[in-house]
Amino acid sequence: MAASIAAASTFNLVAEEYVQKLRDDGMAPATEKKTLWLLKQFADNLGPRPISDIEAFEVLHMLRKVEKKGNLETAHRLRSFAGRVFRYAIWTSRANTDPTAMLAGALRTPKVTNHAAIVEAKPLGGLLRAIDGFEGYKPIGYALKLSPHVFVRPSELRRAEWTEFNLDEAYWRIPANRMKMGREHWVPLSRQSVTLLLDLNEITGNHVYLFPSIRTWQRPMSENAVNVALRRLGYGPDEMTGHGFRSTASTLLNESGLWQPDAIEVALVHKDKNKVRGTYNRGRYWSERVEMAQWWSDHPYAHGWGRVYPQTVPLSPEAAEQLQTKQQALEDLLVPFEGADELPDEIDQAAGVLEAEIATLEAPQDVYDPQDIARGGVFVTLLSDGGAAIHRGLIRPEDALPEPETPEPETEDFAAHPDDAPEDRVGEEEAEGAGLHTEDTEDASEAAPVSDLLLRDLTTHWTLALRYTLAEQPELAARYLVHRLALDTFYRQRSVTCLDITARSASIESFAEGLDDSPTAAALAARHEAWAAGLPDNPADLWPHLLTLNAETLGSLMAHCTVLTVFAVRQAYMPAAPYVASLMMARDLRLNMTDHWTPTARSYFSRVTKGQILAAVREAVGDEAARRLHKLKKPEMAEAAEQLVQGTGWLPACLRTPAPPEETAQAPLALPLSEPTPDLPEAAE
């Protein structure tokens, strides 16, 4: 018996099970590839051994072989991976110890080499001038030009797809499966970035990738394309690399002192050890990141120059008095004509003059410091559409003011007096950053908004319900699809593909725990599988197949394809417009969220404050029921609230369908008179 258990718990089997867990947790494909390579290194050595029998000297013996080849960093990665597998075995009761823990310090330390990067403003200006003069393959030239603005990882840039970009709202949404950290990342786009992308769209916009390979446009450019281009510009591997643009941005943004370090870290997608804090910061710093992205695009393209900005000044006492006088004069002028349908021409003209003067006085006044005006300048950039971008407040390096000398702060030597050293408050700061509630503060927080994570979960269920309900109304789904097409056709809304529309089905399963287990998700998945089974395997056969479908079946298929593009999930760093638009869709669908989601202690009440629990019970059941819960602890209160609101139809505000407007008779829209059809050539007929 023991032998059979050991055979079923070899290092290889436990490691493969651990890798599958990582996949289930959303491991990025690039990370999976590296992890499988590490696993392969153990396959022939420790792999067949029962994991509980492996000792520290055996692991060290294998790592020494790697170390002797000079692969010091690989040896450390293998030890780290083995340690994670041993710990997983301990968690699953197949091992008692982690032998790699006893190998701390046993391996030689590799020399850390950072990616070469230019981290001074003046040399950066020279690099950007060189990039502007790049004369090679155009998509690679645009990749070079965009890299300084967005400072993403080279792998994220080279695989960028047009469907990920919204140039109207100026953001780039990189899906989780392409991110090193395995979570979706949003990149704000500066005006310069949008201009570059609009120009690039004329070249590669009808293809999947922004930067396709020079050999085939069905694949992205190679991993080394940007580095090779930098070499052609005369920058060696010890001077600048594609990854170095991230180091450049990190260094200069931090040195500027204008931006919070956390905002910079979120922009660089550096791993945050505190997941709660990481999620919070990602939303909290979005507006600052938008401003930072524009500043950063202005800064390096000033070729190493500095920049100053105007300050909004309040109205002077004289201007405030003038404003009050003119407002009173306008009021006195119009009082005699109150209720009149029209104003006399001379009164209307005089009122117009006063209104213009008032608007001028009320407009915020942005003023540059006189010293900045004396030493500053202007850049005028001709844009792709023929317009001009004017960048004011640029300061040449030789005109920059010297840094003020600040005395070194006096510090005490706490090493000599350890009892006087301040207490470590790291734990307190982390708790504050995570926004934790306490029993003492929750009672008064009835009006507080729900957390970002809960809002994301709730609106994920909202999105799923919209998809399911819209699929049951093909005619309305068709109207929404036609609405999108009409926006593209008549209102010049930008999108990509030869039809100027993209059916992008965003996965929402990762946004809310247990979404796959809901009846709505199961029904929608079954419907999808049924459609897939009825379609031809070869995409080339799809069009002939569609020609055989009757109107009803074709409409249902169009509805299904349309509903999978619905995306109304709210996250703090996402634009709110899609969710707001979904309210109108929910109203038209007569969506009833109680058919798709139920408030329980786990799904809602344990995740809000006590005040919010009481408010929900009061609204759903009444004041008396809420008073009975008042003295309960939060866990008991959440369980009791679940029972009380059950069957009442109560929903959080973000899941409520707006009431339909009052029915109003409306004449049908008159279509333009049709003109006689001209005679067409036979081929056109």
Side-chain angles (χ1 to χ4, degrees):
M1 181 69 177
S4 62
I5 293 175
S9 301
T10 64
F11 183 92
N12 274 346
L13 291 174
V14 175
E16 289 170 1
E17 186 179 319
Y18 171 67
V19 172
Q20 184 58 50
K21 175 187 177 298
L22 296 179
R23 290 194 190 100
D24 295 340
D25 290 343
M27 176 172 54
T31 306
E32 179 179 353
K33 184 178 179 180
K34 296 174 184 176
T35 304
L36 291 175
W37 182 87
L38 292 172
L39 174 58
K40 187 178 178 181
Q41 310 312 305
F42 288 98
D44 297 331
N45 296 283
L46 304 177
R49 295 281 314 283
I51 195 164
S52 59
D53 293 347
I54 299 175
E55 297 187 30
F57 76 89
E58 297 177 86
V59 180
L60 180 61
H61 179 70
M62 178 209 161
L63 296 178
R64 287 283 190 224
K65 293 180 180 178
V66 178
E67 195 178 50
K68 286 180 180 178
K69 296 178 181 178
N71 300 325
L72 305 185
E73 188 172 346
T74 300
H76 280 266
R77 288 181 179 176
L78 288 170
R79 173 182 173 254
S80 175
F81 173 73
R84 296 198 298 273
V85 173
F86 279 113
R87 288 193 293 275
Y88 180 77
I90 294 171
W91 301 336
T92 55
S93 303
R94 284 175 284 185
N96 295 318
T97 60
D98 170 16
T100 65
M102 292 178 277
L103 300 181
L107 298 174
R108 291 161 53 194
T109 303
K111 183 179 178 181
V112 177
T113 56
N114 295 320
H115 297 280
I118 293 173
V119 293
E120 295 180 3
K122 193 167 184 178
L124 177 61
L127 169 63
L128 297 176
R129 285 191 292 272
I131 289 175
D132 286 340
F134 181 78
E135 296 181 349
Y137 180 51
K138 284 190 175 181
I140 292 179
Y142 277 97
L144 276 172
K145 293 176 182 178
L146 192 62
S147 292
H149 293 284
V150 295
F151 46 87
V152 296
R153 295 180 178 88
S155 61
E156 295 154 7
L157 182 71
R158 78 181 188 90
R159 293 184 178 276
E161 300 182 14
W162 282 111
T163 55
E164 298 167 1
F165 288 81
N166 186 324
L167 300 184
D168 293 326
E169 297 188 28
Y171 65 82
W172 172 16
R173 178 179 173 184
I174 309 177
N177 62 1
R178 290 210 303 103
M179 294 298 299
K180 179 179 179 181
M181 297 303 172
R183 63 173 183 255
E184 189 175 63
H185 180 56
W186 286 55
V187 181
L189 301 174
S190 64
R191 291 188 296 271
Q192 290 90 331
S193 298
V194 171
T195 298
L196 286 170
L197 290 166
L198 288 173
D199 291 343
L200 177 61
N201 186 261
E202 299 296 324
I203 302 172
T204 66
N206 287 331
H207 299 271
V208 174
Y209 298 106
L210 276 71
F211 312 109
S213 167
I214 196 171
R215 293 185 296 275
T216 171
W217 283 30
Q218 303 304 313
R219 293 200 305 269
M221 65 182 183
S222 70
E223 295 181 17
N224 221 23
V226 169
N227 286 337
V228 171
L230 287 169
R231 305 299 164 260
R232 288 185 57 186
L233 293 175
Y235 289 85
D238 57 343
E239 293 178 281
M240 189 63 186
T241 61
H243 201 285
F245 287 111
R246 290 170 55 78
S247 301
T248 300
S250 177
T251 301
L252 295 181
L253 286 171
N254 277 293
E255 286 182 354
S256 74
L258 299 174
W259 315 105
Q260 299 186 63
D262 279 352
I264 299 171
E265 291 299 292
V266 171
L268 292 166
V269 207
H270 285 161
K271 188 172 183 180
D272 196 323
K273 294 180 180 179
N274 186 324
K275 288 188 176 180
V276 174
R277 181 168 177 257
T279 303
Y280 174 70
N281 285 350
R282 184 168 54 178
R284 176 183 176 186
Y285 296 111
W286 175 253
S287 58
E288 182 173 356
R289 288 180 56 208
V290 171
E291 185 180 353
M292 182 171 68
Q294 188 57 57
W295 179 88
W296 175 241
S297 285
D298 291 338
H299 177 74
Y301 273 79
H303 303 308
W305 291 21
R307 192 166 189 182
V308 293
Y309 294 89
Q311 300 295 321
T312 300
V313 296
L315 284 177
S316 65
E318 296 80 7
E321 185 177 350
Q322 290 180 32
L323 177 60
Q324 186 176 1
T325 301
K326 293 185 183 296
Q327 288 172 334
Q328 186 62 50
L330 179 61
E331 184 178 342
D332 295 342
L333 181 67
L334 298 179
V335 164
F337 304 96
E338 188 174 351
D341 292 336
E342 292 185 2
L343 294 173
D345 289 343
E346 64 276 9
I347 300 297
D348 189 33
Q349 185 176 0
V353 172
L354 284 170
E355 288 171 348
E357 292 174 345
I358 290 171
T360 300
L361 289 169
E362 288 180 335
Q365 301 295 313
D366 291 338
V367 177
Y368 283 93
D369 185 280
Q371 288 187 348
D372 292 337
I373 294 175
R375 61 195 179 93
V378 174
F379 271 7
V380 180
T381 305
L382 186 64
L383 302 178
S384 59
D385 60 359
I390 301 175
H391 305 284
R392 295 182 173 87
L394 296 160
I395 307 294
R396 295 181 301 180
E398 57 266 33
D399 293 329
L401 295 176
E403 291 289 335
E405 295 184 3
T406 55
E408 289 290 330
E410 295 183 5
T411 58
E412 291 189 53
D413 184 5
F414 289 114
H417 306 283
D419 294 338
D420 296 333
E423 295 180 2
D424 184 4
R425 300 184 66 250
V426 173
E428 288 183 44
E429 292 169 359
E430 288 183 352
E432 291 170 5
L436 300 179
H437 294 292
T438 66
E439 291 284 343
D440 295 334
T441 61
E442 282 189 336
D443 290 335
S445 53
E446 178 177 323
V450 298
S451 69
D452 292 340
L453 286 175
L454 177 55
L455 181 61
R456 183 195 69 181
D457 282 13
L458 295 176
T459 51
T460 299
H461 284 277
W462 172 264
T463 299
L464 177 65
L466 284 172
R467 290 182 176 186
Y468 180 83
T469 308
L470 186 59
E472 295 184 321
Q473 302 185 42
E475 181 181 352
L476 197 55
R479 292 182 186 276
Y480 273 102
L481 180 59
V482 172
H483 174 252
R484 168 70 194 201
L485 289 169
L487 284 175
D488 288 345
T489 304
F490 298 107
Y491 297 91
R492 308 299 298 169
Q493 298 288 323
R494 290 191 59 83
S495 53
V496 181
T497 75
C498 61
L499 293 178
D500 270 349
I501 186 169
T502 299
R504 183 179 183 274
S505 179
S507 174
I508 62 174
E509 287 75 14
S510 61
F511 288 121
E513 182 181 354
L515 191 73
D516 284 338
D517 299 330
S518 67
T520 303
L524 195 59
R527 184 181 294 156
H528 185 78
E529 291 172 4
W531 276 115
L535 295 177
D537 294 332
N538 190 340
D541 298 331
L542 178 60
W543 179 246
H545 174 76
L546 294 179
L547 293 177
T548 67
L549 301 181
N550 59 40
E552 183 179 359
T553 304
L554 186 65
S556 296
L557 176 57
M558 181 172 65
H560 181 72
C561 295
T562 301
V563 303
L564 293 183
T565 68
V566 173
F567 190 87
V569 176
R570 281 298 312 275
Q571 292 204 70
Y573 61 95
M574 289 183 177
Y579 169 76
V580 174
S582 76
L583 296 174
M584 180 181 68
M585 178 183 287
R587 182 198 64 197
D588 295 339
L589 290 170
R590 305 294 198 269
L591 175 66
N592 184 0
M593 272 301 294
T594 58
D595 294 338
H596 307 278
W597 183 85
T598 302
T600 64
R602 181 177 180 182
S603 69
Y604 185 78
F605 294 113
S606 64
R607 303 173 66 184
V608 297
T609 66
K610 291 174 66 176
Q612 289 168 313
I613 297 174
L614 295 174
V617 172
R618 188 179 300 115
E619 184 180 8
V621 186
D623 291 338
E624 180 59 32
R627 277 195 294 271
R628 291 202 305 268
L629 302 185
H630 188 73
K631 294 184 179 180
L632 295 179
K633 293 290 187 180
K634 185 174 177 179
E636 291 79 10
M637 183 184 288
E639 294 290 343
E642 175 183 342
Q643 299 300 320
L644 286 170
V645 303
Q646 188 174 10
T648 64
W650 181 87
L651 291 168
C654 62
L655 299 186
R656 298 179 186 179
T657 299
E662 295 182 5
E663 299 293 337
T664 55
Q666 193 172 26
L669 180 67
L671 298 177
L673 296 175
S674 59
E675 298 180 359
T677 304
D679 294 335
L680 299 176
E682 291 183 3
E685 295 176 346

